[in-house]
């Protein structure tokens, strides 16, 4: 049934691209070349992945309607790594970019001044992607088979509601078990935002139905309700930005645990028209209540763009049973142009990780990033260094990456 639905969307795209809409056709093309190197204590070999990711498709627009179809493929030129699916996990570190060829997006969208409805396989990136995101760092990305409705009834008020019956994960067509290629379920993501003098105040509800996807012995279906305030203010060439959020999560649907856990975030950033500094404190709380088995549930965000949070070394992608407290600070500098380079930036981020329950020191991490744009290509150099204390093992990662977009 879902395959028929997606094929029908492709048919709509072809119809929309007929003679009457010939001048609205837009080709879609992007490519990524990346070398990712990982060294992890406790494993005998390093991991090296040289991958090429290509996406290509077509968009047709006529009036309020837009149809889009896009495929993607990921090829490992050098495959000296554990991709999370095949091969022994005890020899080389994991790099979560399995080889893959798949339909990435196939959607039909209606857009007017007050209403946007998008149906089909699509990217969904809500707020900072802490709860629902596209996992853009991974070559296969994350998309949703969903219907999303965005409504702006009056200026300054926006409602955003999504029903997703499937999640297409970063594991690609060969994904299986706890790393499925597609996770079914009845997911609902809803936010209602209001513009205020101190920023956008939003209430949200995320009902995540994971359909038996099992991680660390417990299921990740959950219901999360919370609020978020995000705003900024300029003072001449200086810009101050802030974000504060709180949420409460509990078990949902077939999750066998009976738990509740809290989420807290306070983040502030200062842009001095060149220098940039920031600091924040994020807590994904330990669960309180009863669990089935020896592992207690904790605050989880399985549909997030997780790489953006808790450090780039990916040591805390699944929240430990005792939760996470992440105290972080950042500093950087940006230049609009340096010679032939545009949008040049450098950044350093420091994280101190502790458990929420019992307050044990997990470890520290330093993340470094330098990037610039040359024409249609963005080149970046990224480095992560996690030093373990009482959680996981020392890990170092290096990325050399080039992204080209038509």
């Amino acid at each position: 049934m879902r395959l028929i639905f997606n094929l029908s969307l492709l048919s709509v795209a072809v119809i929309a691209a007929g003679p009457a809409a010939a001048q609205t056709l837009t080709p879609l093309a992007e490519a990524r070349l990346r070398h990712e190197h990982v060294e992890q204590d406790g494993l005998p070999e390093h991991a090296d992945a040289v991958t090429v990711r290509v996406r290509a498709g077509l968009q047709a627009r006529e009036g309020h309607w837009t149809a889009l179809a896009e495929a993607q493929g990921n090829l490992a030129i050098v495959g000296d790594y554990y991709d999370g699916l095949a091969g022994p996990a005890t020899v080389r570190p994991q790099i979560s970019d399995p080889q893959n060829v798949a339909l990435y997006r196939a959607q039909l969208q209606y857009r007017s001044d007050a209403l946007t409805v998008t149906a089909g396989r699509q990217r969904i990136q809500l707020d900072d992607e802490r709860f629902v995101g596209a996992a853009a760092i991974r070559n296969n990305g994350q998309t949703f088979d969903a219907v999303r409705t965005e409504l702006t009834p009056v200026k300054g008020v926006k409602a955003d509601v999504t029903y997703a019956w499937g999640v297409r994960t970063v594991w690609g067509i060969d994904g299986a078990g706890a790393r499925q290629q597609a996770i079914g379920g009845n997911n609902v993501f809803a936010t209602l935002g209001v513009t205020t003098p101190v920023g956008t105040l939003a209430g949200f509800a995320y009902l995540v139905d994971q359909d038996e996807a099992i991680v660390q012995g417990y299921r990740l279906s959950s219901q999360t309700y919370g609020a978020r305030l995000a705003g900024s203010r300029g003072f001449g060439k200086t810009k101050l930005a802030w974000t504060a959020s709180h949420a409460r999560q509990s078990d949902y649907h077939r999750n066998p645990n009976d738990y509740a856990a809290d989420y807290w975030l306070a983040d502030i950033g200062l842009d001095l028209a060149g220098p940039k500094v920031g600091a924040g404190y994020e807590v994904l709380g330990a669960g309180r209540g009863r669990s089935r088995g020896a592992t207690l549930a904790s605050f989880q965000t399985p549909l997030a763009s997780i790489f953006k949070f808790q450090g780039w070394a990916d040591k805390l992608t699944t929240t430990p049973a005792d939760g996470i407290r992440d105290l972080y600070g950042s500093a950087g500098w940006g230049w609009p142009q340096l010679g032939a380079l545009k949008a040049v930036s450098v950044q350093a981020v420091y994280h101190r990780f502790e458990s929420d329950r019992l307050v044990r020191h997990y470890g520290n991490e330093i993340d470094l990033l330098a990037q610039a744009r040359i024409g249609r290509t963005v080149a970046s150099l990224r480095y992560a260094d996690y030093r373990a204390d009482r959680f996981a093992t020392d890990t170092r990662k290096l990325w050399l990456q080039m992204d080209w977009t038509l």
Side-chain angles (χ1 to χ4, degrees):
M1 185 66 183
R2 294 169 186 170
L3 177 60
I4 293 173
F5 179 77
N6 285 321
L7 290 175
S8 69
L9 288 177
L10 290 172
S11 300
V12 171
V14 173
I15 294 171
Q23 296 182 355
T24 67
L25 286 178
T26 304
L28 305 173
E30 61 179 83
R32 170 186 288 173
L33 174 63
R34 179 165 68 204
H35 177 204
E36 183 171 347
H37 173 80
V38 185
E39 300 176 8
Q40 181 175 316
D41 285 8
L43 295 179
E45 302 287 342
H46 302 329
D48 284 285
V50 178
T51 55
V52 176
R53 195 277 307 281
V54 176
R55 289 176 182 160
L58 188 66
Q59 177 178 283
R61 179 173 296 167
E62 178 66 18
H64 293 293
W65 295 90
T66 301
L68 179 155
E70 184 178 27
Q72 74 173 3
N74 181 53
L75 173 66
I77 301 174
V78 176
D80 297 333
Y81 66 99
Y82 172 57
D83 66 7
L85 300 177
T90 57
V91 177
R92 298 183 186 272
Q94 178 176 313
I95 297 176
S96 304
D97 287 327
Q99 297 194 98
N100 181 49
V101 176
L103 178 66
Y104 180 59
R105 290 189 293 167
Q107 65 183 55
L108 178 66
Q109 183 180 87
Y110 171 85
R111 180 187 293 272
S112 66
D113 292 339
L115 176 66
T116 300
V117 179
T118 308
R121 188 164 300 171
Q122 58 190 282
R123 276 195 301 253
I124 300 179
Q125 297 163 285
L126 301 181
D127 295 325
D128 59 357
E129 300 187 75
R130 197 0 146 180
F131 296 96
V132 179
I137 191 67
R138 299 275 49 109
N139 284 346
N140 294 320
Q142 177 172 269
T143 56
F144 298 83
D145 294 337
V147 176
R148 181 182 182 186
T149 301
E150 301 167 79
L151 177 64
T152 307
V154 295
K155 184 178 180 180
V157 177
K158 181 180 179 180
D160 190 332
V161 179
T162 297
Y163 168 67
W165 59 87
V167 181
R168 297 287 164 168
T169 72
V170 302
W171 303 111
I173 57 175
D174 294 324
R179 293 169 176 162
Q180 302 170 64
Q181 63 163 313
I183 302 174
N186 298 304
N187 303 277
V188 177
F189 318 134
T191 64
L192 178 62
V194 179
T195 301
T196 74
V198 293
T200 299
L201 178 62
F204 56 81
Y206 298 109
L207 308 182
V208 176
D209 181 2
Q210 284 294 82
D211 259 12
E212 302 303 310
I214 299 175
V215 177
Q216 290 191 357
Y218 58 87
R219 294 168 189 161
L220 296 178
S221 296
S222 64
Q223 51 186 328
T224 303
Y225 305 93
R228 183 176 189 269
L229 175 67
S232 63
R233 181 164 296 179
F235 305 92
K237 294 184 178 181
T238 300
K239 182 179 179 182
L240 178 68
W242 58 86
T243 305
S245 183
H246 171 64
R248 180 83 163 175
Q249 184 179 97
S250 59
D251 53 283
Y252 177 67
H253 197 52
R254 283 178 279 185
N255 190 327
N257 298 314
D258 180 8
Y259 79 101
D262 289 307
Y263 171 84
W264 298 91
L265 171 68
D267 181 277
I268 190 166
L270 186 63
D271 186 342
L272 301 169
K276 300 178 182 180
V277 294
Y281 187 59
E282 185 180 43
V283 178
L284 283 78
R288 293 175 295 279
R290 298 188 305 276
S291 65
R292 182 168 297 179
T295 303
L296 291 173
S298 52
F299 199 104
Q300 303 290 334
T301 60
L303 303 182
S305 290
I306 297 176
F307 181 84
K308 297 175 64 175
F309 306 91
Q310 267 89 57
W312 301 335
D314 282 341
K315 308 309 293 184
L316 295 158
T317 54
T318 299
T319 307
D322 288 330
I324 304 169
R325 297 183 184 181
D326 178 13
L327 177 65
Y328 59 89
S330 65
W333 205 294
W335 300 266
Q337 187 163 354
L338 289 177
L341 304 178
K342 297 183 179 180
V344 181
S345 65
V346 293
Q347 182 187 38
V349 184
Y350 172 80
H351 294 268
R352 178 180 173 83
F353 301 115
E354 295 179 338
S355 65
D356 182 46
R357 181 189 285 115
L358 304 178
V359 193
R360 300 188 315 278
H361 182 218
Y362 286 154
N364 302 323
E365 182 169 327
I366 295 176
D367 298 325
L368 304 174
L369 172 66
Q371 64 180 15
R373 180 167 56 86
I374 308 172
R376 296 180 180 273
T377 301
V378 175
S380 62
L381 172 64
R382 191 186 302 260
Y383 176 74
D385 186 351
Y386 176 79
R387 298 300 176 92
D389 185 357
R390 299 187 183 182
F391 186 85
T393 57
D394 290 358
T395 300
R396 294 154 298 284
K397 294 189 176 185
L398 178 69
W399 297 261
L400 295 170
Q401 181 171 316
M402 298 183 70
D403 287 283
W404 173 88
T405 304
L406 181 64

